[in-house]
Amino acid sequence: MANFESNSPTAHPLAKFINHLEFAGYRAQEQGEDWVLNVHPRKPNLFLKQIQSRGVLVGITYGAQQSVSRIELLEFINMMNSELLFMKVYCTDEDLIRLETFFEGDYDRTNFSILLENIEFDMQ
């Protein structure tokens, strides 16, 4: 497990984001060198991936029902993209629905809180 102490020189690159999410009730379940999956008992799981020198990609993944045709899935995704304000939606090659947004720059508590509120707004 990576070091999540945000002030440590060996800290995970997403340590400050992880600490923020822990305060909001999330738990870091899995992580790699530049990504982490955060789970919550009542909210969508958040996948964070650091994009070097740019910021952090924040994603939510859902599975699609096998009984739904590909065209119906794509029409649903198109409708979602027309209504969402802060996130984009697309279909993966595995017919998973992926919602994503981007946090520009380094961690900032206020701005990351706003991003989480924007995600909540779109999810409602």
Side-chain angles (χ1 to χ4, degrees):
M1 208 70 161
N3 181 1
F4 293 141
E5 294 294 322
S6 59
N7 294 327
S8 167
T10 62
H12 192 284
L14 298 170
K16 292 179 180 178
F17 294 92
I18 294 165
N19 288 340
H20 188 123
L21 289 172
E22 284 177 352
F23 182 75
Y26 284 87
R27 179 178 52 82
Q29 182 179 37
E30 298 178 40
Q31 82 273 335
E33 187 174 317
D34 63 351
W35 62 271
V36 63
L37 175 63
N38 300 277
V39 297
H40 193 282
R42 293 182 311 280
K43 296 180 181 180
N45 298 338
L46 293 179
F47 177 84
L48 277 62
K49 179 175 176 47
Q50 180 186 30
I51 309 300
Q52 194 65 29
S53 302
R54 301 295 300 176
V56 175
L57 182 67
V58 181
I60 300 169
T61 303
Y62 290 102
Q65 292 183 4
Q66 296 292 338
S67 62
V68 175
S69 72
R70 179 97 171 151
I71 193 72
E72 288 175 317
L73 180 61
L74 294 175
E75 287 174 353
F76 172 73
I77 288 171
N78 191 41
M79 182 272 307
M80 288 180 65
N81 277 321
S82 71
E83 294 183 11
L84 296 177
L85 297 176
F86 304 106
M87 301 184 83
K88 68 176 181 178
V89 184
Y90 63 92
C91 183
T92 69
D93 291 338
E94 299 84 26
D95 286 342
L96 298 173
I97 297 173
R98 182 96 169 146
L99 293 87
E100 290 181 341
T101 190
F102 193 76
F103 183 85
E104 185 76 31
D106 295 329
Y107 172 81
D108 176 83
R109 181 177 58 197
T110 301
N111 289 337
F112 190 59
S113 293
I114 291 169
L115 179 125
L116 294 175
E117 289 175 7
N118 291 346
I119 290 172
E120 286 282 329
F121 182 87
D122 269 354
M123 296 305 291
Q124 292 176 0

